[in-house]
Amino acid sequence: QLALIPHFVEGNLEPPGRYPVGHMYLYAGVIRLWKAVTGQEGTVPSLSHETRRDFFPYLVTVRSLQCLLSAAIPLFIFFFCRRLWGPWVGLLAAFLVASDPIHLSYSRQEMGEIPQFFWMSLSLVFAGRIFSEGYKRDCWWAGFFAGLAVATKMYGGYVVLGGLGAVFFFRKQIIRKSAWVILGLVLGILAGSPYFWLDPGGWWNNTVLEAVDEFFVRAPHLGGSRMAQMGQGLLYLWQGLNHRFHLPWILFSLMGIGFLLWRHQKRDLF
């Protein structure tokens, strides 16, 4: 992914191969800003073992951006949880995010997880506002930031369910406000996809190819019947969760979800 940075910093926003995830454009924009502020001249070298020393200032710039974004995320999570359950729950949620080893690890890496989580957490903040107030502008912003999450990394789009769920639970103007969420989602995707404005057809083909490859080409390689594939998928899900979080945390989380369902309050279900 870092090999694309020199390509984009020079102003060529059309990717040379498959469509890249949107955070590479963000990185390139920050590096262009850094070069303008510092007066740095010359082109950004292509990253390799020989040019690592020359590439180091640009690497530090990108990592600094990652640290700033990751530091803001617990604050957004605090705002979201405070609105639903009060300040103490907000502080606890922010602490759990800030001290999560996976979050800390990604915070120093030049990958899309932190920018994706940044946009997702902002979308959740406005979803919480929809749930408690229901303003039209909050619907638009919840969808827009979800769209930026999609443009950063496709899986980030699942957060749009937060905005749509808030509209459903608010129970007023469901169709109209859902439409605002979807409109914001579409505009967010396009705003975070410079390639679209250069070559809409190429952008569409690359995006569709990426989705088809992910969901319809790789998945059948599991082999066996559809039920067997689902069984293998569930087994892999369990193995992945256990590898990441370990059994005590998984059981603790399931107990927490059960407790929220038992309380049967609208904000918990949301």
Side-chain angles (χ1 to χ4, degrees):
Q1 294 184 37
L2 288 173
L4 292 170
I5 283 183
H7 193 75
F8 293 147
V9 169
E10 294 303 315
N12 185 0
L13 301 182
E14 191 168 351
R18 293 289 293 274
Y19 180 61
V21 282
H23 65 286
M24 300 312 301
Y25 292 113
L26 180 64
Y27 292 160
V30 169
I31 288 177
R32 290 193 66 162
L33 177 64
W34 177 79
K35 290 183 66 176
V37 171
T38 60
Q40 182 81 15
E41 297 180 355
T43 60
V44 179
S46 298
L47 180 61
S48 68
H49 292 293
E50 291 76 18
T51 61
R52 185 179 296 170
R53 184 185 298 273
D54 297 327
F55 197 83
F56 186 73
Y58 307 104
L59 206 60
V60 171
T61 303
V62 170
R63 288 187 169 182
S64 300
L65 172 65
Q66 291 285 83
C67 291
L68 289 173
L69 296 181
S70 65
I73 289 171
L75 182 64
F76 297 147
I77 297 300
F78 167 76
F79 289 146
F80 173 66
C81 293
R82 182 186 64 174
R83 180 174 292 273
L84 293 177
W85 296 289
W88 288 109
V89 175
L91 286 172
L92 175 61
F95 170 76
L96 290 174
V97 172
S99 58
D100 174 47
I102 299 175
H103 180 72
L104 292 171
S105 177
Y106 279 133
S107 296
R108 61 178 179 81
Q109 297 179 17
E110 307 78 22
M111 297 174 66
E113 278 72 15
I114 290 298
Q116 173 190 241
F117 192 15
F118 180 84
W119 301 125
M120 291 176 70
S121 57
L122 267 175
S123 181
L124 284 177
V125 168
F126 285 96
R129 290 173 61 91
I130 297 170
F131 179 83
S132 59
E133 299 171 357
Y135 293 130
K136 181 173 67 176
R137 63 176 180 270
D138 296 325
C139 300
W140 191 89
W141 283 114
F144 182 77
F145 288 125
L148 289 177
V150 175
T152 302
K153 196 171 183 181
M154 212 172 287
Y155 298 118
Y158 289 130
V159 77
V160 76
L161 297 176
L164 293 174
V167 170
F168 173 79
F169 279 113
F170 193 70
R171 293 291 187 180
K172 292 181 180 179
Q173 300 178 329
I174 292 179
I175 295 178
R176 179 180 298 180
K177 290 183 176 179
S178 296
W180 277 106
V181 173
I182 298 300
L183 176 62
L185 176 72
V186 173
L187 293 178
I189 293 174
L190 299 183
S193 307
Y195 184 25
F196 170 82
W197 306 102
L198 297 171
D199 183 7
W203 174 85
W204 176 257
N205 288 334
N206 273 276
T207 304
V208 171
L209 283 174
E210 184 71 26
V212 168
D213 181 61
E214 185 70 30
F215 296 110
F216 299 105
V217 176
R218 298 179 192 174
H221 289 173
L222 291 171
S225 64
R226 180 59 58 87
M227 290 300 296
Q229 291 180 21
M230 291 176 61
Q232 293 179 44
L234 290 172
L235 177 61
Y236 178 75
L237 172 65
W238 169 253
Q239 292 172 344
L241 287 174
N242 193 39
H243 172 71
R244 291 271 187 166
F245 304 110
H246 303 297
L247 184 60
W249 277 110
I250 296 174
L251 295 177
F252 187 72
S253 300
L254 292 175
M255 290 169 57
I257 293 173
F259 175 69
L260 292 179
L261 294 175
W262 174 76
R263 278 164 44 107
H264 200 68
Q265 293 188 12
K266 186 165 67 170
R267 68 187 60 193
D268 297 340
L269 296 177
F270 162 63

